Amino acid sequence: MKIETLKDAFTKVFGEEKEMKVFFSPGRVNLIGEHIDYNGGCVFPAAITYGTYAIVSPREDQKVRLYSGNFEDRGIIEFDLSDLSHTEDEHWSVYVKGVMVQFKEAGFNIPTGFDAYVFGTIPNGSGLSSSASLELLVSQILKELHGYEISMVDMVKLSQKAENSYVGVNCGIMDQFAIGMGKKDYAIKLNTNDLSYEYAQANLGDNSILIMNTNKKRELADSKYNERREECDKALELLQTQADIKFLCDLTVAEFEKVAHVLTDEVLYRRAKHAVTENERVKLAIDVLSNGDLKEFGQLLNQSHTSLRDDYEVTGKELDTIVELACAQEGVLGARMTGAGFGGCAIALVQNDAVEAVKSAIAKGYKEVIGYDADLYVATIGDGTKTLA
Ligand code: GLA
């Protein structure tokens, strides 16, 4: 992305400004460990080089003026720091206000506003976390403009809280963590039980991660997401009558099978089973990756998808079609949906010399079955949220 182009766009919208700061916040892919970041499980995401940019100029008054190059029809969105309440037609500014409210509640004073031109290269609603990317971007802007003493992990927590209590999606911490704490060429092994983490070299040998965007709009995704969370909470409550656990993922698969008889509701059983088995797959996946066993890593991706399809039921026709198509191609070691599901993106682990052939086969097959195009591109793992200039 050319920063000069973004600065020109800023100037066109807001006129000449004295001071411009430049910020970037990435999107993320999750390699494995899906829907367990709110069940105390281990997840394995990475930040990607697609993300959200902001050109920001501080103001002396209390106004905030926002413009997105992705939503030009919305024009300039303006509000005052003295009123951060949710308006009816909030659109993307909901993430900006949501983060500001969290900073204020945490005791950070926001004395003055800013003008910001924002542009994202993450397709919206693709499951690559354009919203968490924006939340961390706003956190970084506030920190930089007002000189707060706050760690990235605390900004990650405030951003998650904004999503939970202001936006109303009861998400876990994985997306915000991967985005804020991302590091070029590394995936993050994050234990959501206690937030301990380790960087693990994403050593994929002669393979790449292919991102496969189904372009299926994630309608109802947020309400379905919250519904899955509630189901896990119910399952946990029942299992707690049998075992001394704080989260579903405190149980190994063997321990789970011993106490699972209390889950007489078959749906709750399958939800909990996904969480427990997925957590074990993540641990195995990290082990085999560090030993360079990419074939086994690919198998675990496949098993993760099957569990998300059959037990957790968050895939759908588009994601299943694209994953099946990928797995049928020579040179593909494994594939799975990534993110919340219900549409959005899947990933495939593909041998470098097969990438082009795999892309055209998937593109053709997907269009035939689904009727519209998928977008396919190779992911590059990049750094977390930062001030660029
Ligand atoms: C969304 C949420 C994350 C996580 C994933 C599923 O991306 O924001 O917290 O739960 O879904 O793994």
Side-chain angles (χ1 to χ4, degrees):
M1 192 78 234
K2 281 226 174 72
I3 301 301
E4 282 318 309
T5 316
L6 295 177
K7 284 188 171 174
D8 287 347
F10 178 102
T11 309
K12 250 197 208 141
V13 174
F14 296 111
E16 211 66 56
E17 302 282 337
K18 287 187 224 95
E19 189 189 344
M20 282 188 209
K21 288 188 182 290
V22 187
F23 300 88
F24 173 73
S25 185
R28 66 99 188 86
V29 281
N30 185 20
L31 299 179
I32 191 162
E34 216 66 81
H35 282 281
I36 56 171
D37 65 337
Y38 48 87
N39 286 314
C42 276
V43 295
F44 198 41
I48 54 177
T49 48
Y50 292 100
T52 321
Y53 293 82
I55 308 290
V56 176
S57 186
R59 298 179 60 93
E60 277 162 16
D61 58 12
Q62 294 240 310
K63 268 191 198 145
V64 176
R65 293 195 298 168
L66 308 167
Y67 186 94
S68 165
N70 302 93
F71 301 108
E72 296 197 313
D73 53 323
R74 293 266 154 180
I76 295 179
I77 301 175
E78 184 176 320
F79 59 87
D80 200 277
L81 287 169
S82 59
D83 180 12
L84 295 176
S85 60
H86 219 299
T87 60
E88 225 163 75
D89 183 29
E90 198 68 73
H91 207 243
W92 69 276
S93 47
V94 71
Y95 300 104
V96 182
K97 283 187 184 174
V99 169
M100 288 178 160
V101 166
Q102 293 313 320
F103 269 76
K104 277 187 142 180
E105 281 183 8
F108 294 98
N109 180 28
I110 310 178
T112 48
F114 55 81
D115 291 341
Y117 177 90
V118 173
F119 186 76
T121 56
I122 311 168
N124 293 307
S126 61
L128 302 177
S129 275
S130 56
S131 50
S133 173
L134 181 55
E135 286 155 6
L136 263 306
L137 186 76
V138 175
S139 298
Q140 181 71 17
I141 293 171
L142 294 176
K143 175 185 171 162
E144 183 79 36
L145 296 190
H146 305 299
Y148 303 144
E149 297 276 341
I150 180 171
S151 69
M152 185 54 91
V153 171
D154 284 337
M155 296 211 291
V156 161
K157 289 182 186 163
L158 289 182
S159 298
Q160 181 204 11
K161 224 168 152 203
E163 182 90 32
N164 293 164
S165 51
Y166 196 93
V167 182
V169 180
N170 216 356
C171 68
I173 201 162
M174 171 175 77
D175 300 349
Q176 287 80 6
F177 201 97
I179 286 167
M181 302 295 287
K183 194 161 143 180
K184 190 175 178 321
D185 300 330
Y186 288 85
I188 308 174
K189 177 185 171 189
L190 170 66
N191 186 344
T192 62
N193 190 325
D194 56 6
L195 284 196
S196 57
Y197 65 97
E198 243 174 70
Y199 290 101
Q201 195 124 34
N203 212 340
L204 303 177
D206 297 329
N207 305 281
S208 297
I209 298 285
L210 182 67
I211 295 183
M212 309 184 285
N213 187 354
T214 62
N215 283 324
K216 152 91 174 160
K217 294 265 172 298
R218 295 171 48 223
E219 293 129 11
L220 292 181
D222 295 349
S223 59
K224 290 267 180 214
Y225 184 93
N226 288 347
E227 184 185 295
R228 290 294 175 281
R229 258 201 98 143
E230 280 162 26
E231 289 164 345
C232 286
D233 289 346
K234 276 189 202 150
L236 176 64
E237 225 173 89
L238 290 165
L239 290 167
Q240 280 171 330
T241 62
Q242 307 294 308
D244 182 20
I245 51 169
K246 201 168 148 214
F247 296 109
L248 288 180
C249 291
D250 289 345
L251 294 169
T252 62
V253 174
E255 286 163 354
F256 171 68
E257 290 304 345
K258 274 193 210 137
V259 291
H261 57 88
V262 286
L263 302 177
T264 48
D265 178 332
E266 186 260 342
V267 170
L268 291 191
Y269 169 75
R270 283 190 285 116
R271 303 298 189 249
K273 178 175 161 231
H274 165 74
V276 173
T277 57
E278 181 77 352
N279 195 38
E280 292 214 344
R281 278 187 290 274
V282 176
K283 291 178 182 162
L284 265 173
I286 292 170
D287 267 5
V288 299
L289 188 63
S290 69
N291 295 330
D293 189 350
L294 274 304
K295 230 174 144 191
E296 186 55 29
F297 188 73
Q299 288 300 315
L300 290 161
L301 298 184
N302 293 341
Q303 288 166 24
S304 167
H305 186 84
T306 305
S307 178
L308 288 155
R309 182 191 64 202
D310 298 343
D311 287 339
Y312 217 66
E313 296 181 282
V314 289
T315 58
K317 185 172 180 204
E318 296 77 8
L319 281 167
D320 290 338
T321 301
I322 214 158
V323 164
E324 272 164 39
L325 277 165
C327 290
Q329 309 308 318
E330 202 143 328
V332 173
L333 283 73
R336 59 181 290 277
M337 57 154 271
T338 188
F342 313 104
C345 285
I347 54 169
L349 184 64
V350 187
Q351 283 168 9
N352 289 337
D353 54 10
V355 166
E356 285 316 312
V358 166
K359 272 168 76 175
S360 25
I362 296 174
K364 185 163 172 280
Y366 186 79
K367 178 100 192 252
E368 266 166 29
V369 179
I370 303 295
Y372 52 81
D373 287 322
D375 286 321
L376 306 159
Y377 36 91
V378 169
T380 319
I381 298 182
D383 281 329
T385 306
K386 57 185 168 186
T387 303
L388 293 179

